[in-house]
Every structure is written in structure tokens, then in C-alpha cells.
């Protein structure tokens, strides 16, 4: 947290605040780590393949090891194979560059040009193009739980701003983005796009299909891995698409790793291709999603239709930026 505030102060001193701002305003609110978080999203908590604790039949991706007993060599450990959903990251999707919504709406514009988000209307007034900036934070939620429960399976760390798309030249350029994900050219056709309808159905019923890796469920195509959302529809739908694309990009850049399955029992591993079944998402801002999901659940897998949980959570001016809490599937060998 100290490093983040030093960065904020330095950027303000360098850029002089909100110079060169467009029409959008910088608003926000720091999340309440008690009231705004849907704690039931951490469930189910499992031992081996079986569930130990659950509330409202929370969704799980089936990555749990089959053996409840485990061992690790690097850190000599004999323990139990546990599984849960860790509140690990915060992603905010914003209209105004350098606006830190999760820090209360602080504008840290350093004077480095970055495109402002916007929407353009197509035929009959339907949104035909969306563009957003995004920020990626590590959180202190898991660390807080680690202190309370003394759990070796919670990630240790601090609240920190780890990534800003404004400083990434690929985020606004389709041609440059193709260098990072050349396979996107294979899915820029009507047949591949039409196949995403099946992924939308799968994500609405449970988790999206891993076989349809180029799809973002009901949000459309995962490619290109940048801030141009195309005809994504409403603001929440476009924002969740940005979250999926950002996480896919960070996996491709080896910033985000894999924490699920038997391979993760002794620590994370490289995962250059994001497993969209490894994440569930909860809206924190502008309206915390602590109710109103499918089956009474207040978080959902990537790609689920926003019609089922996003209604009434977006409103003009101060409710058009979005903050999401990512729950990451975690398997761990908890030492005895």
C-alpha cells in the first residue's frame, strides 16, 4: 500500500493532476472489505474431490485433486488437498485515463497521452463500438483472511496497483495486439463468432466451455486482447468483457499464473493460456453485487449473461465506471 501511494504522489507531482482531461469525470469509491464483498463466493471449500463447506450451492469448476492427501518436495510438506475460491485481484474498467476508481476517484494523469474511453452509436442508436481503459490491482483481502485464519494457502502480499492499460501501447492498437496474439486472425470470421453462442449458453448455465477458448461467453469474442469492445452492448457487459480480455492478456504475458488443480498443490505454475473456468467475478462498484445473482449467488463465472445479474447496477455520470473483484480457483496442499 505504501508503494502505491508513493506512485500516486509521484504521478500527481509529475503531471499536475487532471491536465488534458476529456468530458468524462473521475469518480469512485474505495471498497468496503467487509460489507461489499460476497464472502460466500469463496465456497465451496473442498477436501480432495469432496465438498467440506458450501452456502447456496456455489459453483465449482471441478479442478480438485482426486486424492485428499498430498505432499510437496520443494517445501517439505505432507498435508491435505484443499480447494477454495480466493479473492485475489481487483480489476477496474474506466472511461477516463488514469482515473483510479478503487481509490475513491483519484486522477493521477502524468501527462502521457492515452485515449479516453467512449461509445459510438451505430444504426438505430445501438452501441456499435466501445473502448475502455483498465487497471489491475493485487488485494489485501486474502492477506487479511490469512491473518485471521493462519492459513498457509492464502497468497501473501499487499494492496498494489500492478498494471495500467494507459501505459501499454498494445491496448489501443489492433495491429500491435496481433503480435501478442496472432491466433486471433483465425477467429475473425462469422463461423467462429457464431460458435460463441454455445459458450454463452454454457456460461449462463455454469462455466464457459474451455474448448471455445476464443469466446467470452455472452460478452462476445475474447479477441482482440485490447480495449476495443465492438458491439458489446451495455456498459456492464462491455466492462466484463474488458476484465476477461485483460486477464487473458496477463496470462499471455506470464503476469498471471495458474493456481488450480493438482499441479498447483505446491505452488503456482505458468499458464500462458487463460482458463476462463478458473475465475468468478463480483461487481464492487458502482453498486456492490451482494445479491441478485443466479440461485441467490452474488458472483458468476466469466461469460455469464449480465441480464441475470447486472440490471440496475449502472447509472449515468457516477455509475459508468466499474470495479470487479476476481475470485481465483485455488488448490493447495495445506500442511498438517
Amino acid at each position: 500500500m505504501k508503494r502505491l501511494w508513493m506512485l500516486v504522489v509521484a504521478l500527481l507531482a509529475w503531471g499536475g493532476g487532471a491536465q488534458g482531461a476529456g468530458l468524462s469525470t473521475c469518480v469512485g469509491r474505495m471498497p468496503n472489505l467487509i460489507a461489499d464483498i460476497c464472502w460466500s463466493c469463496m465456497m465451496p471449500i473442498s477436501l480432495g474431490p469432496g465438498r467440506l463447506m458450501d452456502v447456496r450451492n456455489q459453483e465449482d469448476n471441478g479442478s480438485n485433486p482426486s486424492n485428499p492427501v498430498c505432499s510437496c518436495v520443494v517445501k517439505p510438506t505432507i498435508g491435505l488437498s484443499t480447494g477454495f475460491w480466493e479473492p485475489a485481484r481487483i480489476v477496474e474498467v474506466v472511461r477516463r485515463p488514469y482515473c483510479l476508481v478503487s481509490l475513491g476517484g483519484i486522477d493521477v494523469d502524468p501527462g502521457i497521452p492515452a485515449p479516453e474511453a467512449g461509445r459510438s452509436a451505430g444504426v438505430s442508436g445501438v452501441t456499435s463500438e466501445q473502448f475502455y481503459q483498465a487497471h489491475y490491482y493485487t488485494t489485501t483481502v486474502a492477506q487479511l483472511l490469512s491473518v485471521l485464519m493462519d492459513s498457509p494457502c492464502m497468497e501473501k502480499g499487499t494492496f498494489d496497483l500492478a498494471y495500467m492499460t494507459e501505459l501499454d501501447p498494445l491496448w489501443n492498437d489492433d495491429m500491435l495486439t496481433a503480435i501478442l496474439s496472432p491466433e486471433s486472425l483465425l477467429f475473425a470470421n462469422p463461423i467462429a463468432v457464431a460458435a460463441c453462442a454455445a459458450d454463452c449458453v454454457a456460461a449462463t448455465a455454469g462455466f464457459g466451455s474451455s474448448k471455445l477458448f476464443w469466446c467470452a461467453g455472452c460478452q462476445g469474442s475474447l479477441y482482440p486482447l485490447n480495449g476495443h469492445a465492438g458491439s458489446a452492448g451495455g456498459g456492464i457487459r462491455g466492462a466484463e468483457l474488458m476484465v476477461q480480455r485483460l486477464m487473458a492478456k496477463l496470462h499471455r504475458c506470464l503476469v498471471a499464473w495458474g493456481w488450480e488443480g493438482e499441479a498447483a498443490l505446491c505452488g503456482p505454475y505458468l499458464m500462458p493460456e487463460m482458463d476462463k473456468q478458473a475465475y468468478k467475478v463480483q461487481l464492487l462498484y458502482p453498486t456492490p453485487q451482494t445479491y441478485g445473482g443466479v440461485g441467490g449467488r452474488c458472483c458468476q463465472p466469466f461469460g455469464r449473461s449480465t441480464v441475470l445479474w447486472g440490471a440496475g447496477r449502472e447509472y449515468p455520470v457516477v455509475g459508468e465506471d466499474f470495479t470487479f473483484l476476481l475470485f481465483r480457483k485455488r488448490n493447495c496442499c495445506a500442511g498438517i
Side-chain angles (χ1 to χ4, degrees), residues 185-225:
L185 300 176
L186 299 175
F187 307 111
N189 60 78
I191 297 178
V193 173
C196 292
D199 193 45
C200 175
V201 173
T204 301
F207 287 87
S209 172
S210 297
K211 295 180 179 179
L212 300 174
F213 62 89
W214 66 91
C215 297
C218 298
Q219 281 71 60
S221 176
L222 193 64
Y223 295 106
L225 301 181

mmCIF file of all heavy atoms in Angstrom, residues 185-225:
data_model
loop_
_atom_site.group_PDB
_atom_site.id
_atom_site.type_symbol
_atom_site.label_atom_id
_atom_site.label_comp_id
_atom_site.label_asym_id
_atom_site.label_seq_id
_atom_site.Cartn_x
_atom_site.Cartn_y
_atom_site.Cartn_z
ATOM 1 N N LEU A 185 -6.359 -13.935 -35.631
ATOM 2 C CA LEU A 185 -6.736 -13.842 -37.038
ATOM 3 C C LEU A 185 -7.567 -15.049 -37.479
ATOM 4 O O LEU A 185 -8.358 -14.954 -38.414
ATOM 5 C CB LEU A 185 -5.476 -13.718 -37.908
ATOM 6 C CG LEU A 185 -4.580 -12.501 -37.629
ATOM 7 C CD1 LEU A 185 -3.326 -12.550 -38.493
ATOM 8 C CD2 LEU A 185 -5.342 -11.211 -37.871
ATOM 9 N N LEU A 186 -7.394 -16.190 -36.798
ATOM 10 C CA LEU A 186 -8.129 -17.389 -37.172
ATOM 11 C C LEU A 186 -9.595 -17.320 -36.774
ATOM 12 O O LEU A 186 -10.430 -18.037 -37.326
ATOM 13 C CB LEU A 186 -7.490 -18.617 -36.497
ATOM 14 C CG LEU A 186 -6.032 -18.919 -36.860
ATOM 15 C CD1 LEU A 186 -5.518 -20.089 -36.027
ATOM 16 C CD2 LEU A 186 -5.896 -19.213 -38.352
ATOM 17 N N PHE A 187 -9.900 -16.444 -35.810
ATOM 18 C CA PHE A 187 -11.264 -16.403 -35.274
ATOM 19 C C PHE A 187 -12.009 -15.144 -35.675
ATOM 20 O O PHE A 187 -13.090 -14.875 -35.154
ATOM 21 C CB PHE A 187 -11.211 -16.514 -33.751
ATOM 22 C CG PHE A 187 -10.430 -17.710 -33.278
ATOM 23 C CD1 PHE A 187 -9.218 -17.551 -32.631
ATOM 24 C CD2 PHE A 187 -10.893 -18.992 -33.521
ATOM 25 C CE1 PHE A 187 -8.493 -18.644 -32.215
ATOM 26 C CE2 PHE A 187 -10.167 -20.097 -33.104
ATOM 27 C CZ PHE A 187 -8.963 -19.930 -32.450
ATOM 28 N N ALA A 188 -11.442 -14.381 -36.594
ATOM 29 C CA ALA A 188 -12.113 -13.172 -37.081
ATOM 30 C C ALA A 188 -12.979 -13.514 -38.288
ATOM 31 O O ALA A 188 -12.780 -13.024 -39.397
ATOM 32 C CB ALA A 188 -11.071 -12.110 -37.444
ATOM 33 N N ASN A 189 -13.950 -14.406 -38.075
ATOM 34 C CA ASN A 189 -14.837 -14.805 -39.155
ATOM 35 C C ASN A 189 -16.207 -15.127 -38.553
ATOM 36 O O ASN A 189 -16.325 -15.416 -37.353
ATOM 37 C CB ASN A 189 -14.278 -16.005 -39.909
ATOM 38 C CG ASN A 189 -14.081 -17.219 -39.013
ATOM 39 O OD1 ASN A 189 -15.034 -17.922 -38.691
ATOM 40 N ND2 ASN A 189 -12.837 -17.459 -38.596
ATOM 41 N N PRO A 190 -17.255 -15.090 -39.351
ATOM 42 C CA PRO A 190 -18.622 -15.283 -38.829
ATOM 43 C C PRO A 190 -18.845 -16.632 -38.165
ATOM 44 O O PRO A 190 -19.615 -16.744 -37.215
ATOM 45 C CB PRO A 190 -19.498 -15.117 -40.077
ATOM 46 C CG PRO A 190 -18.675 -14.293 -41.017
ATOM 47 C CD PRO A 190 -17.250 -14.701 -40.772
ATOM 48 N N ILE A 191 -18.184 -17.682 -38.643
ATOM 49 C CA ILE A 191 -18.401 -19.020 -38.080
ATOM 50 C C ILE A 191 -17.870 -19.085 -36.650
ATOM 51 O O ILE A 191 -18.535 -19.595 -35.741
ATOM 52 C CB ILE A 191 -17.720 -20.088 -38.964
ATOM 53 C CG1 ILE A 191 -18.367 -20.102 -40.354
ATOM 54 C CG2 ILE A 191 -17.820 -21.456 -38.313
ATOM 55 C CD1 ILE A 191 -17.728 -21.081 -41.312
ATOM 56 N N ALA A 192 -16.665 -18.550 -36.435
ATOM 57 C CA ALA A 192 -16.081 -18.562 -35.099
ATOM 58 C C ALA A 192 -16.890 -17.697 -34.141
ATOM 59 O O ALA A 192 -17.077 -18.047 -32.969
ATOM 60 C CB ALA A 192 -14.633 -18.078 -35.159
ATOM 61 N N VAL A 193 -17.375 -16.569 -34.641
ATOM 62 C CA VAL A 193 -18.186 -15.685 -33.802
ATOM 63 C C VAL A 193 -19.510 -16.347 -33.452
ATOM 64 O O VAL A 193 -19.983 -16.273 -32.304
ATOM 65 C CB VAL A 193 -18.422 -14.342 -34.517
ATOM 66 C CG1 VAL A 193 -19.397 -13.485 -33.720
ATOM 67 C CG2 VAL A 193 -17.103 -13.600 -34.712
ATOM 68 N N ALA A 194 -20.127 -17.027 -34.406
ATOM 69 C CA ALA A 194 -21.406 -17.697 -34.156
ATOM 70 C C ALA A 194 -21.260 -18.811 -33.128
ATOM 71 O O ALA A 194 -22.195 -19.087 -32.353
ATOM 72 C CB ALA A 194 -21.963 -18.257 -35.460
ATOM 73 N N ALA A 195 -20.089 -19.456 -33.084
ATOM 74 C CA ALA A 195 -19.868 -20.537 -32.119
ATOM 75 C C ALA A 195 -19.903 -20.027 -30.685
ATOM 76 O O ALA A 195 -20.135 -20.807 -29.753
ATOM 77 C CB ALA A 195 -18.530 -21.209 -32.408
ATOM 78 N N CYS A 196 -19.682 -18.731 -30.485
ATOM 79 C CA CYS A 196 -19.692 -18.167 -29.128
ATOM 80 C C CYS A 196 -21.082 -18.183 -28.509
ATOM 81 O O CYS A 196 -21.212 -18.004 -27.291
ATOM 82 C CB CYS A 196 -19.136 -16.742 -29.149
ATOM 83 S SG CYS A 196 -17.364 -16.663 -29.546
ATOM 84 N N ALA A 197 -22.116 -18.399 -29.324
ATOM 85 C CA ALA A 197 -23.466 -18.524 -28.770
ATOM 86 C C ALA A 197 -23.547 -19.744 -27.858
ATOM 87 O O ALA A 197 -24.206 -19.715 -26.809
ATOM 88 C CB ALA A 197 -24.490 -18.616 -29.895
ATOM 89 N N ALA A 198 -22.863 -20.828 -28.238
ATOM 90 C CA ALA A 198 -22.842 -22.025 -27.403
ATOM 91 C C ALA A 198 -22.103 -21.756 -26.100
ATOM 92 O O ALA A 198 -22.473 -22.278 -25.035
ATOM 93 C CB ALA A 198 -22.196 -23.183 -28.164
ATOM 94 N N ASP A 199 -21.057 -20.945 -26.164
ATOM 95 C CA ASP A 199 -20.312 -20.597 -24.951
ATOM 96 C C ASP A 199 -21.163 -19.740 -24.029
ATOM 97 O O ASP A 199 -21.077 -19.844 -22.804
ATOM 98 C CB ASP A 199 -19.025 -19.865 -25.335
ATOM 99 C CG ASP A 199 -18.055 -19.746 -24.167
ATOM 100 O OD1 ASP A 199 -17.853 -20.746 -23.451
ATOM 101 O OD2 ASP A 199 -17.503 -18.647 -23.968
ATOM 102 N N CYS A 200 -21.987 -18.882 -24.601
ATOM 103 C CA CYS A 200 -22.908 -18.053 -23.819
ATOM 104 C C CYS A 200 -23.893 -18.930 -23.056
ATOM 105 O O CYS A 200 -24.146 -18.718 -21.865
ATOM 106 C CB CYS A 200 -23.645 -17.079 -24.730
ATOM 107 S SG CYS A 200 -24.921 -16.087 -23.916
ATOM 108 N N VAL A 201 -24.429 -19.945 -23.720
ATOM 109 C CA VAL A 201 -25.369 -20.862 -23.068
ATOM 110 C C VAL A 201 -24.672 -21.612 -21.935
ATOM 111 O O VAL A 201 -25.218 -21.757 -20.833
ATOM 112 C CB VAL A 201 -25.955 -21.847 -24.099
ATOM 113 C CG1 VAL A 201 -26.805 -22.903 -23.407
ATOM 114 C CG2 VAL A 201 -26.774 -21.102 -25.140
ATOM 115 N N ALA A 202 -23.451 -22.086 -22.194
ATOM 116 C CA ALA A 202 -22.706 -22.842 -21.186
ATOM 117 C C ALA A 202 -22.381 -21.971 -19.975
ATOM 118 O O ALA A 202 -22.511 -22.410 -18.824
ATOM 119 C CB ALA A 202 -21.425 -23.404 -21.794
ATOM 120 N N ALA A 203 -21.957 -20.714 -20.216
ATOM 121 C CA ALA A 203 -21.598 -19.822 -19.120
ATOM 122 C C ALA A 203 -22.814 -19.402 -18.309
ATOM 123 O O ALA A 203 -22.711 -19.174 -17.100
ATOM 124 C CB ALA A 203 -20.882 -18.579 -19.670
ATOM 125 N N THR A 204 -23.957 -19.294 -18.945
ATOM 126 C CA THR A 204 -25.172 -18.919 -18.234
ATOM 127 C C THR A 204 -25.668 -20.063 -17.361
ATOM 128 O O THR A 204 -26.221 -19.846 -16.277
ATOM 129 C CB THR A 204 -26.258 -18.487 -19.232
ATOM 130 O OG1 THR A 204 -25.763 -17.374 -20.010
ATOM 131 C CG2 THR A 204 -27.521 -18.055 -18.523
ATOM 132 N N ALA A 205 -25.435 -21.306 -17.818
ATOM 133 C CA ALA A 205 -25.851 -22.473 -17.050
ATOM 134 C C ALA A 205 -24.827 -22.872 -16.001
ATOM 135 O O ALA A 205 -25.170 -23.457 -14.977
ATOM 136 C CB ALA A 205 -26.116 -23.650 -17.990
ATOM 137 N N GLY A 206 -23.563 -22.552 -16.246
ATOM 138 C CA GLY A 206 -22.482 -22.934 -15.337
ATOM 139 C C GLY A 206 -21.218 -22.176 -15.691
ATOM 140 O O GLY A 206 -21.151 -20.957 -15.573
ATOM 141 N N PHE A 207 -20.189 -22.913 -16.144
ATOM 142 C CA PHE A 207 -18.952 -22.297 -16.601
ATOM 143 C C PHE A 207 -18.882 -22.355 -18.119
ATOM 144 O O PHE A 207 -19.435 -23.270 -18.749
ATOM 145 C CB PHE A 207 -17.730 -23.016 -16.011
ATOM 146 C CG PHE A 207 -17.509 -22.740 -14.552
ATOM 147 C CD1 PHE A 207 -18.135 -23.505 -13.586
ATOM 148 C CD2 PHE A 207 -16.687 -21.698 -14.147
ATOM 149 C CE1 PHE A 207 -17.946 -23.247 -12.244
ATOM 150 C CE2 PHE A 207 -16.488 -21.431 -12.805
ATOM 151 C CZ PHE A 207 -17.122 -22.203 -11.847
ATOM 152 N N GLY A 208 -18.188 -21.375 -18.711
ATOM 153 C CA GLY A 208 -17.986 -21.376 -20.146
ATOM 154 C C GLY A 208 -17.170 -22.576 -20.592
ATOM 155 O O GLY A 208 -16.491 -23.229 -19.800
ATOM 156 N N SER A 209 -17.217 -22.866 -21.885
ATOM 157 C CA SER A 209 -16.523 -24.027 -22.436
ATOM 158 C C SER A 209 -15.048 -23.718 -22.674
ATOM 159 O O SER A 209 -14.710 -22.741 -23.347
ATOM 160 C CB SER A 209 -17.182 -24.450 -23.751
ATOM 161 O OG SER A 209 -16.431 -25.449 -24.398
ATOM 162 N N SER A 210 -14.164 -24.563 -22.138
ATOM 163 C CA SER A 210 -12.728 -24.384 -22.355
ATOM 164 C C SER A 210 -12.354 -24.647 -23.808
ATOM 165 O O SER A 210 -11.356 -24.114 -24.305
ATOM 166 C CB SER A 210 -11.934 -25.319 -21.437
ATOM 167 O OG SER A 210 -12.156 -24.999 -20.081
ATOM 168 N N LYS A 211 -13.138 -25.466 -24.496
ATOM 169 C CA LYS A 211 -12.856 -25.746 -25.904
ATOM 170 C C LYS A 211 -13.072 -24.507 -26.768
ATOM 171 O O LYS A 211 -12.381 -24.320 -27.777
ATOM 172 C CB LYS A 211 -13.734 -26.901 -26.381
ATOM 173 C CG LYS A 211 -13.434 -28.226 -25.690
ATOM 174 C CD LYS A 211 -14.332 -29.331 -26.216
ATOM 175 C CE LYS A 211 -14.015 -30.657 -25.528
ATOM 176 N NZ LYS A 211 -14.901 -31.762 -26.009
ATOM 177 N N LEU A 212 -14.018 -23.665 -26.378
ATOM 178 C CA LEU A 212 -14.265 -22.423 -27.117
ATOM 179 C C LEU A 212 -13.441 -21.307 -26.473
ATOM 180 O O LEU A 212 -13.968 -20.314 -25.984
ATOM 181 C CB LEU A 212 -15.756 -22.091 -27.105
ATOM 182 C CG LEU A 212 -16.677 -23.146 -27.734
ATOM 183 C CD1 LEU A 212 -18.132 -22.784 -27.524
ATOM 184 C CD2 LEU A 212 -16.376 -23.314 -29.219
ATOM 185 N N PHE A 213 -12.135 -21.462 -26.503
ATOM 186 C CA PHE A 213 -11.245 -20.556 -25.775
ATOM 187 C C PHE A 213 -11.212 -19.159 -26.371
ATOM 188 O O PHE A 213 -10.762 -18.220 -25.710
ATOM 189 C CB PHE A 213 -9.827 -21.139 -25.728
ATOM 190 C CG PHE A 213 -9.194 -21.313 -27.080
ATOM 191 C CD1 PHE A 213 -8.463 -20.288 -27.663
ATOM 192 C CD2 PHE A 213 -9.331 -22.506 -27.776
ATOM 193 C CE1 PHE A 213 -7.887 -20.440 -28.911
ATOM 194 C CE2 PHE A 213 -8.756 -22.674 -29.035
ATOM 195 C CZ PHE A 213 -8.024 -21.637 -29.600
ATOM 196 N N TRP A 214 -11.638 -18.992 -27.591
ATOM 197 C CA TRP A 214 -11.631 -17.670 -28.221
ATOM 198 C C TRP A 214 -12.899 -16.871 -27.885
ATOM 199 O O TRP A 214 -13.033 -15.728 -28.294
ATOM 200 C CB TRP A 214 -11.510 -17.806 -29.738
ATOM 201 C CG TRP A 214 -12.676 -18.459 -30.409
ATOM 202 C CD1 TRP A 214 -13.786 -17.845 -30.922
ATOM 203 C CD2 TRP A 214 -12.879 -19.870 -30.628
ATOM 204 N NE1 TRP A 214 -14.656 -18.770 -31.451
ATOM 205 C CE2 TRP A 214 -14.121 -20.022 -31.296
ATOM 206 C CE3 TRP A 214 -12.114 -21.011 -30.354
ATOM 207 C CZ2 TRP A 214 -14.607 -21.273 -31.666
ATOM 208 C CZ3 TRP A 214 -12.615 -22.247 -30.721
ATOM 209 C CH2 TRP A 214 -13.836 -22.368 -31.370
ATOM 210 N N CYS A 215 -13.803 -17.460 -27.127
ATOM 211 C CA CYS A 215 -15.068 -16.808 -26.798
ATOM 212 C C CYS A 215 -15.062 -16.287 -25.368
ATOM 213 O O CYS A 215 -14.404 -16.852 -24.487
ATOM 214 C CB CYS A 215 -16.228 -17.784 -26.968
ATOM 215 S SG CYS A 215 -16.463 -18.373 -28.670
ATOM 216 N N ALA A 216 -15.820 -15.217 -25.142
ATOM 217 C CA ALA A 216 -16.000 -14.640 -23.811
ATOM 218 C C ALA A 216 -17.445 -14.790 -23.368
ATOM 219 O O ALA A 216 -18.025 -13.891 -22.763
ATOM 220 C CB ALA A 216 -15.586 -13.174 -23.813
ATOM 221 N N GLY A 217 -18.040 -15.934 -23.688
ATOM 222 C CA GLY A 217 -19.413 -16.201 -23.295
ATOM 223 C C GLY A 217 -20.387 -15.233 -23.948
ATOM 224 O O GLY A 217 -20.291 -14.921 -25.138
ATOM 225 N N CYS A 218 -21.321 -14.725 -23.139
ATOM 226 C CA CYS A 218 -22.337 -13.804 -23.653
ATOM 227 C C CYS A 218 -21.772 -12.424 -23.949
ATOM 228 O O CYS A 218 -22.497 -11.568 -24.483
ATOM 229 C CB CYS A 218 -23.477 -13.680 -22.645
ATOM 230 S SG CYS A 218 -24.351 -15.236 -22.321
ATOM 231 N N GLN A 219 -20.513 -12.183 -23.607
ATOM 232 C CA GLN A 219 -19.890 -10.890 -23.899
ATOM 233 C C GLN A 219 -19.280 -10.843 -25.295
ATOM 234 O O GLN A 219 -18.775 -9.808 -25.714
ATOM 235 C CB GLN A 219 -18.820 -10.570 -22.848
ATOM 236 C CG GLN A 219 -19.396 -10.052 -21.530
ATOM 237 C CD GLN A 219 -20.111 -11.128 -20.743
ATOM 238 O OE1 GLN A 219 -19.529 -12.132 -20.375
ATOM 239 N NE2 GLN A 219 -21.394 -10.928 -20.474
ATOM 240 N N GLY A 220 -19.256 -11.970 -26.011
ATOM 241 C CA GLY A 220 -18.779 -11.957 -27.383
ATOM 242 C C GLY A 220 -17.433 -12.626 -27.547
ATOM 243 O O GLY A 220 -17.147 -13.655 -26.923
ATOM 244 N N SER A 221 -16.576 -12.035 -28.368
ATOM 245 C CA SER A 221 -15.277 -12.622 -28.685
ATOM 246 C C SER A 221 -14.202 -12.130 -27.722
ATOM 247 O O SER A 221 -14.162 -10.956 -27.365
ATOM 248 C CB SER A 221 -14.874 -12.273 -30.121
ATOM 249 O OG SER A 221 -13.574 -12.749 -30.404
ATOM 250 N N LEU A 222 -13.309 -13.043 -27.319
ATOM 251 C CA LEU A 222 -12.209 -12.673 -26.438
ATOM 252 C C LEU A 222 -11.144 -11.865 -27.177
ATOM 253 O O LEU A 222 -10.381 -11.128 -26.557
ATOM 254 C CB LEU A 222 -11.584 -13.935 -25.843
ATOM 255 C CG LEU A 222 -10.619 -13.762 -24.676
ATOM 256 C CD1 LEU A 222 -11.330 -13.189 -23.462
ATOM 257 C CD2 LEU A 222 -9.957 -15.092 -24.336
ATOM 258 N N TYR A 223 -11.102 -11.991 -28.487
ATOM 259 C CA TYR A 223 -10.118 -11.277 -29.298
ATOM 260 C C TYR A 223 -10.745 -10.052 -29.951
ATOM 261 O O TYR A 223 -11.938 -10.052 -30.252
ATOM 262 C CB TYR A 223 -9.552 -12.206 -30.372
ATOM 263 C CG TYR A 223 -8.769 -13.372 -29.816
ATOM 264 C CD1 TYR A 223 -9.311 -14.656 -29.827
ATOM 265 C CD2 TYR A 223 -7.503 -13.197 -29.283
ATOM 266 C CE1 TYR A 223 -8.603 -15.731 -29.323
ATOM 267 C CE2 TYR A 223 -6.785 -14.270 -28.782
ATOM 268 C CZ TYR A 223 -7.338 -15.532 -28.802
ATOM 269 O OH TYR A 223 -6.628 -16.594 -28.297
ATOM 270 N N PRO A 224 -9.932 -9.012 -30.211
ATOM 271 C CA PRO A 224 -8.516 -8.850 -29.870
ATOM 272 C C PRO A 224 -8.323 -8.557 -28.379
ATOM 273 O O PRO A 224 -9.261 -8.094 -27.703
ATOM 274 C CB PRO A 224 -8.098 -7.644 -30.716
ATOM 275 C CG PRO A 224 -9.349 -6.835 -30.838
ATOM 276 C CD PRO A 224 -10.461 -7.833 -30.923
ATOM 277 N N LEU A 225 -7.125 -8.812 -27.867
ATOM 278 C CA LEU A 225 -6.842 -8.614 -26.445
ATOM 279 C C LEU A 225 -6.500 -7.151 -26.165
ATOM 280 O O LEU A 225 -5.406 -6.805 -25.729
ATOM 281 C CB LEU A 225 -5.675 -9.523 -26.006
ATOM 282 C CG LEU A 225 -5.891 -11.025 -26.199
ATOM 283 C CD1 LEU A 225 -4.684 -11.805 -25.700
ATOM 284 C CD2 LEU A 225 -7.165 -11.488 -25.492
#
